[in-house]
Amino acid sequence: MSTGADALTDLDDEQLAAVVVALGGKRFQARQVAHWLWKHGVEDFDDMRNVPQRLRDALRQRHRLRNSRLRAADLAADGTEKLLIELPGETDAPDTVECVIIPDGERTTLCISTQVGCPVGCVFCASGMFGVRRNLTSGEIAEQVLVARARLPAGRRLTNLVVMGMGEPMLNLDALLPALRRIHDPDGINLGARRITVSTSGYPRQMERFSEADPSYNLAVSLHAADDELRRELVPTASHSVAEIVDAASRYFGRKGREVTYEVVLLRGRNDRRIDAQALVDRLRQTPCTVNLIPWNPVEEIVATRDLARPDDHRVDAFAALLRQGGLNVTVRRQRGADRSAACGQLRLREA
Ligand code: SAH
Ligand code: SF4
């Protein structure tokens, strides 16, 4: 089975230079190839116009340009567009992941995936329903930006990136970190690190490693509940306590100076009660942070089998008010693309 490791997008600058030099090219030509790949997003070797034909042919014989291709796109009435990306894999059942383009005024955010499926298995999430099939390679992670960028209308450009699609980013750091470097590289896609946010369900050791990355990205932590027992019901594989996770996030803030966002997916009657708000206030009052409330986006397949529901707006507002009274900064995520299976992992379920 091909894993996509022979695509040029999987190579960092040094590896690309080694490939080009081994094929008789010069180092500066590797730089040119990287430009065509990442800055211009070419999809054919012959579009690398200033690269000599001989080198283009030699590269083509040994490498693919990219791993993935767009298989389906689904545009919601509010402009949110969900892309289903096909990755190399078994031909009868190729692996797929999703990314989502979210236009919002001047801003255009792209949400990307890091794994095919997810091993964490949060009870409310479509991505975790069937476990994880495999990690994405660094090229596959970064290519989502190329595919999405090519779909933007003239005059629109990507302004923000969130790693909040399928998968647990901290469990694929080996591929994520080089992919983010590519996405950040001023000579390539050129997205500022302050505009890049990685969301995790809470892996302290990996968060520590993430904090060593240069440049400094934003960190979001999916907390969902401040009480350990309740959190374990929602995130059944969680092996770290809330205290350990919050400590790790605070260390991130200490090291990077970047305020952490805590995400709380709100489920009616499960974690949206008065005592749940109070527990969050008690736990987070001392840490500089923002709490982002995300009313659950119902997943048909989950609603059918588990007793979960989305709280109505006034319950969400009441919860937000309790957190604010307790001194926390709170934002509430507005529903985007709600008419088209907008929660992560849902388009893949439909197309599977
Ligand atoms: N695995 C990482 C990143 C991907 S999930 C994490 O869990 O943080 C990104 C965010 O989407 C998480 O906060 C997650 O809790 C939330 N999410 C997943 N399924 C959802 C759904 N059906 N409705 C609303 N939010 C959801
Ligand atoms: Fe995985 Fe995040 Fe979904 Fe949990 S919410 S199953 S960690 S993708």
Side-chain angles (χ1 to χ4, degrees):
M1 186 179 97
S2 167
T3 59
D6 56 349
L8 289 185
T9 47
D10 281 306
L11 307 178
D12 65 21
D13 285 338
E14 273 311 304
Q15 291 165 329
L16 185 59
V19 163
V20 165
V21 168
L23 294 175
K26 303 270 189 291
R27 284 186 77 90
F28 78 89
Q29 288 169 325
R31 210 51 232 153
Q32 291 173 332
V33 170
H35 259 221
W36 288 113
L37 273 179
W38 299 108
K39 199 176 172 73
H40 304 292
V42 297
E43 296 183 52
D44 193 311
F45 285 95
D46 285 335
D47 293 331
M48 299 183 172
R49 287 194 301 275
N50 60 359
V51 176
Q53 184 74 47
R54 213 164 42 82
L55 180 55
R56 280 187 237 162
D57 290 342
L59 283 169
R60 189 187 351 247
Q61 271 173 18
R62 288 165 186 77
H63 295 277
R64 284 172 293 141
L65 265 185
R66 297 184 188 175
N67 301 288
S68 52
R69 68 176 193 90
L70 179 66
R71 190 209 277 189
D74 194 2
L75 184 65
D78 66 3
T80 300
E81 188 171 39
K82 208 158 204 201
L83 308 179
L84 188 70
I85 311 269
E86 186 175 311
L87 307 169
E90 314 282 352
T91 42
D92 50 343
D95 290 327
T96 54
V97 289
E98 298 175 2
C99 59
V100 190
I101 304 170
I102 309 157
D104 187 8
E106 295 285 286
R107 202 186 248 244
T108 303
T109 302
L110 176 68
C111 175
I112 61 169
S113 297
T114 53
Q115 297 182 304
V116 181
C118 182
V120 182
C122 302
V123 293
F124 49 81
C125 176
S127 301
M129 284 183 74
F130 305 108
V132 65
R133 277 171 63 99
R134 72 167 171 91
N135 282 339
L136 265 58
T137 67
S138 65
E140 289 167 340
I141 295 172
E143 283 169 32
Q144 294 169 70
V145 181
L146 299 181
V147 173
R149 196 177 60 178
R151 292 193 66 80
L152 296 179
R156 253 203 191 270
R157 53 181 200 86
L158 289 176
T159 59
N160 295 76
L161 183 89
V162 294
V163 186
M164 294 188 184
M166 293 170 58
E168 169 47 52
M170 292 298 146
L171 297 181
N172 190 14
L173 277 181
D174 284 344
L176 178 64
L177 292 175
L180 291 182
R181 264 198 302 279
R182 269 290 173 222
I183 293 166
H184 170 64
D185 183 0
D187 281 341
I189 293 171
N190 190 21
L191 195 64
R194 285 184 177 272
R195 295 168 175 274
I196 297 176
T197 301
V198 177
S199 173
T200 177
S201 60
Y203 287 83
R205 212 157 23 89
Q206 288 84 345
M207 286 156 73
E208 186 75 34
R209 190 178 151 207
F210 183 64
S211 79
E212 287 160 11
D214 184 31
S216 303
Y217 308 105
N218 301 313
L219 179 68
V221 176
S222 296
L223 200 61
H224 311 310
D227 174 78
D228 280 309
E229 203 176 315
L230 175 57
R231 187 169 196 274
R232 212 155 281 139
E233 281 175 28
L234 304 176
V235 188
T237 58
S239 55
H240 294 280
S241 67
V242 169
E244 288 172 305
I245 294 169
V246 172
D247 274 357
S250 300
R251 279 199 299 279
Y252 192 84
F253 173 72
R255 185 165 188 162
K256 299 290 204 184
R258 294 284 170 91
E259 201 180 273
V260 171
T261 300
Y262 288 99
E263 296 160 290
V264 176
V265 171
L266 282 177
L267 297 154
R268 190 173 71 211
R270 290 296 288 275
N271 66 347
D272 71 341
R273 301 160 302 172
R274 189 170 266 277
I275 52 163
D276 301 318
Q278 191 54 51
L280 283 169
V281 167
D282 292 343
R283 176 66 72 187
L284 299 178
R285 201 170 21 207
Q286 307 295 343
T287 31
C289 65
T290 295
V291 177
N292 187 17
L293 299 178
I294 313 170
W296 184 52
N297 202 341
V299 180
E300 232 174 80
E301 293 76 358
I302 293 178
V303 173
T305 52
R306 295 176 191 152
D307 187 20
L308 297 179
R310 174 191 170 92
D312 55 34
D313 286 351
H314 89 261
R315 257 187 101 99
V316 173
D317 291 344
F319 194 87
L322 287 171
L323 297 187
R324 289 193 183 109
Q325 279 160 28
L328 300 182
N329 297 325
V330 183
T331 55
V332 178
R333 188 180 294 177
R334 205 151 48 86
Q335 187 85 353
R336 301 303 312 262
D339 56 341
R340 300 278 180 124
S341 51
C344 68
Q346 285 185 55
L347 182 62
R348 176 164 167 269
L349 277 185
R350 300 275 178 290
E351 297 272 331

